[in-house]
Amino acid sequence: MPTIIFEPTGRRIKVKTGENLLEVCWTHGIPIESVCGGNGACGKCAVQIIDHGSPVSAEDRKHFSEERLAQGWRLACRTRVERDMRVAVPLPPGVLPGQVMTAHEASDITPAPKVRKHFLKLAPATLEQPGSDANLVLQAIPGGDSLRFRPSALRKLPGVLRKAGHQVTVTVWDGAVLDVEPRDTTRHNYGIAFDVGTSTVAALLVNLNTGEEIGVAAGLNPQRKYGEDVISRISYCRSHPEGAETLSGEIVALLSDLAEQVTTSYRVNPAHVGEYVAVGNTTMTHLIAGVDPSPIGELPYAPVFTACQTMLDGPKGARLGHKPFEIPAALGAFVGSDIVAGLVALQLHTKPGTRLFLDIGTNAELLVGGRDRMLAASAAAGPAFEGVKIECGMIGIAGAIDSCGLEDGDLVFDVIGNGAPAGICGSGLVDIAAVLLDLGIIDESGRLLTRDECPKTVPPKVCERLHEANGTTRITLAGDVYLSQRDVRELQNAKAAIAAGIEILMHHLGLAPDELDEVLIAGAFGSTLDPRSAQRLGVIPMVPLERIRAVGNTALQGAKAYLLSTRLREEICGAGEHIELRELSAEPDFMDRFADNMRFGA
Amino acid sequence: MPTIIFEPTGRRIKVKTGENLLEVCWTHGIPIESVCGGNGACGKCAVQIIDHGSPVSAEDRKHFSEERLAQGWRLACRTRVERDMRVAVPLPPGVLPGQVMTAHEASDITPAPKVRKHFLKLAPATLEQPGSDANLVLQAIPGGDSLRFRPSALRKLPGVLRKAGHQVTVTVWDGAVLDVEPRDTTRHNYGIAFDVGTSTVAALLVNLNTGEEIGVAAGLNPQRKYGEDVISRISYCRSHPEGAETLSGEIVALLSDLAEQVTTSYRVNPAHVGEYVAVGNTTMTHLIAGVDPSPIGELPYAPVFTACQTMLDGPKGARLGHKPFEIPAALGAFVGSDIVAGLVALQLHTKPGTRLFLDIGTNAELLVGGRDRMLAASAAAGPAFEGVKIECGMIGIAGAIDSCGLEDGDLVFDVIGNGAPAGICGSGLVDIAAVLLDLGIIDESGRLLTRDECPKTVPPKVCERLHEANGTTRITLAGDVYLSQRDVRELQNAKAAIAAGIEILMHHLGLAPDELDEVLIAGAFGSTLDPRSAQRLGVIPMVPLERIRAVGNTALQGAKAYLLSTRLREEICGAGEHIELRELSAEPDFMDRFADNMRFGA
């Protein structure tokens, strides 16, 4: 059986001879892009096979230059594993260890976790001083009188106690003894925070004693094969009797895999993980809990639950050691626990000042206000800002154009990884559109001018990039990569939805853009976005640039806060009371504002 | 496949042709006696095959008279099921519906159960008044703010709510929503109380709204094949690596079977059973919880747990619908939750007056005192009072001699079921011994006189019953049934252990027998025992006869109290604080008192 070593993690997987490499990645939770489902069409499952020449398929020739082919780049979906290989799989953005673990203001939490470990040196009972094993333990723990043993811990207790000469470590969680281990293991107290996105899923391993971020594992949401966005996944649940169960099983399996990966990679005993927390949009958290999200997809878009939810033994079917698994509170059907946990991690609800918080993923969520009053909404922006539904779009991995400028009379691009451009990611899209708007090649209505209409002020090399294809205008960027009229329309739709949402929330609060003390942009997109370009497009209100700040993966930071601090946990569970959720589609002026914002301002 | 109909319950079981009838009973939890393990030796698995002549084996001829054989009596262990049959299996005592459900002072409990059902007519959420399904429900329940949904209830919620037009019944238990059902099912709110004895197990189905006892199912503890008493079962656990797991699996399977039987028999939907409670001796409750009871079998005889224990999803491997399963508090290794629950059901800890409470089963537990101070102990009396280890002993089922007198110059006997005597049960043993002591055929030292030594005052017919066999003296009672010198020694041991225990506890409290306001005798044995004979033997202190009272199955009444009343539940869980547990073997004067009590007083 051939072994594949995946770089950069070094993970080794044994496979059957002739297995399809993309399917191996799917089966084992290796994060990899694929939109077409593995038929060689989308070209997104590019991997670099490092140590030997692999056969080149017709589809490989279509997607890679000779140079890249020589470097070992292949489509995973066209690759059969015939012998041992080392494979580098580009990681999706936002899930790279360095990126996820960037410190934010939220990271200086004083650890006061729900999971606590106590090392006890007990004197065994005697005939004169009798007592049960359980009482011996509880009497030695501060506040032990009110604790109860969970059945699994009770079953371990007599054996562990006697084998360890009555020197044991007990794990306590919310009034319950979860575990008992021989000797002193108090140093080994871990939790795992999951950020479950529609596209990508990350698992952050946290030391609960110190708050240290140990490491991260990430994967693509296996539910992608049922559709790119939550609405198509809900549709699948509504139209298939076992749909919710299937989708639930897939995400729970991925969470189990990621927990295994991150503990294996960082040499943490899975038995020392005392608690799991998963944040995500409300559809994802429903599916993690095994709850059918169908009601979210029909009027009045009511979720089944929004309150903080505990699964004492973990989700159904999980391989997570039957530990407590928590889902923090959501606000509603389209503003999930990822947003709520993030805002508490940033302390937006307690800090003075007025802020706009924007999380643009497959959908966009908005929060506006401060500690006195805060409004939230979800804008159906679609996945354009993630590079999805853009003809040459891709997520921000190696090969993606992520910024654009004008140099020596022509367009110039930055490409992630500095290789040949393979597509456009969200921040690249924003940048390119802003440059083309400034040049006048895209007009205020969003029309991409033809080469004939190209303004005289535009350098000729740029005008020459314009051409017609398939009855519409395109602008060639680099190699096969282009931006089309249809892409600009997708962008307009996305930015109009977000801008209209922001306007409505600010209007309800009586706020002008200048009254915003900060604009905080969360997520991978936020960290690569050029704020000036975003303002040029009208996605972000016109505040002074220095007030715009990327705040990273606040969802994961929020999940970590939930793990680390019982106080922050309470704040997250109670946050719903402080925030008013607005359903934009029910706002009378939404359609007007949406239409207005389709235009690009001057 | 032949069908067996079991009388009196009418239960029908399909079996394979040629299957062994005793094994069928074991497999399906039909309560049946067997000590020899099914090899035709003990004769205890007597059943009556009602509707057709079944082949007669050599062992049948050894155990049954021609008349009984003609009535269809056979040994189940020698019977193969070749075609349909109706079989009457004599029920062990204490588990007959009538007997179990006898009303006691404990039965007038005002129901205030932990399991509560609420019928809700909800207004669906709207776009203007959004809210999650869970919040809709919780806002409609008094105190719902502090409730959480259990994951299984949450999974059912969206479907049930919409199918039932938002008219649903929710089941609430201890801060958690356990279940949600369409329409109004509030009338159907049940619990099951188990009394798990070393020999027999009973399941009582209770209406939690009204307190009504709906019905009972009973079976023999399948662990009997590992030994008659708890010590031999603990030994099995200590000497076999999977021993505790095996024994645990067997008792949990029986509880599941009994719950199924009692709900099926009384046409209760198992989904409407909201909670289970099991009381029993500490070894049994450990095994129900899946906890290895080995520490109980080694110095210092420490149980693993004594506090009230909850298994939210039921015991491991149980088929009980993953409902909460509670084990009430025990006092120690040999005074179990059956005793604690029983004493609270009788309110011994709150009523004025001083009492002796005696529960004689396979072992004997004692409680002495009143609301100011109460002492408890366990006496290693052995199973003689259950007819075990007595040469012609049997439990109190049809054929057992259960009382004895002197009429027309000879011994006369009452036999349960009025048939031919097949053996001696516990109360019969006490009665026979008392008569023989009065006649002087047993002397104060416990010696059974030979026919030659038979006192002149004894009627000749009685003296003629004495004879020698196997080098020891026996007295023939009826047919093959006799009492031997060895049986008297067993009886002496048992009664000496109990009497010494009572003396020690009363001594610690400074009580004389006359200061006891009542002597309460629990269990099946108590209800058939002649108190005068018991006093003659010295098992019960010499109080006026009218102060001696049989109180029935207080263990089951206690478990029922735990189900029905949150107040009584708290009293049971806290009872340990009011009761001092004495380890008799650690008392310096125990051996002296034990030796003294070997004698039969005048």
Side-chain angles (χ1 to χ4, degrees), chain A residues 125-127 131-135 148-149 151 154-155 158 162 289-291 295 300-306 308-309 311-313 316, chain B residues 125-127 131-135 148-149 151 154-155 158 162 289-291 295 300-306 308-309 311-313:
Chain A
T126 60
L127 217 46
S132 68
D133 291 356
N135 277 348
R148 290 283 172 87
F149 270 79
L154 201 56
R155 283 195 285 269
R162 282 162 186 80
V291 173
Y301 315 119
V304 180
F305 69 100
T306 53
C308 282
Q309 190 66 24
M311 291 175 278
L312 273 178
D313 288 308
K316 213 177 145 187
Chain B
T126 61
L127 217 47
S132 68
D133 291 356
N135 277 349
R148 290 281 172 88
F149 270 79
L154 201 57
R155 283 195 285 269
R162 283 163 186 80
V291 173
Y301 314 119
V304 179
F305 69 100
T306 53
C308 282
Q309 190 67 23
M311 291 175 278
L312 274 177
D313 288 308

Side-chain angles (χ1 to χ4, degrees), chain A residues 192 194 203 254-264 276 320:
Chain A
I192 290 180
F194 292 108
L254 176 65
L255 299 185
S256 306
D257 287 342
L258 291 178
E260 189 188 329
Q261 275 177 45
V262 75
T263 49
T264 305
Y276 301 88
L320 294 167

Side-chain angles (χ1 to χ4, degrees), chain A residues 139-152:
Chain A
Q139 280 160 12
I141 304 174
D145 286 352
S146 60
L147 295 178
R148 290 283 172 87
F149 270 79
R150 292 215 63 206
S152 53

Side-chain angles (χ1 to χ4, degrees), chain A residues 118-124 136-137 140-141 161 164-170 183-184:
Chain A
H118 303 270
F119 175 55
L120 310 174
K121 294 181 180 183
L122 302 168
L136 270 190
V137 167
I141 304 174
L161 210 54
H166 282 70
Q167 304 209 353
V168 295
T169 300
V170 293
R183 293 176 298 277
D184 187 355

Side-chain angles (χ1 to χ4, degrees), chain A residues 441-455:
Chain A
I441 294 179
I442 296 176
D443 73 10
E444 283 196 16
S445 75
R447 199 165 70 83
L448 185 60
L449 303 190
T450 63
R451 196 185 297 184
D452 294 346
E453 298 167 330
C454 196

Side-chain angles (χ1 to χ4, degrees), chain B residues 137-148:
Chain B
V137 167
L138 296 183
Q139 280 161 11
I141 303 175
D145 285 354
S146 60
L147 294 178
R148 290 281 172 88

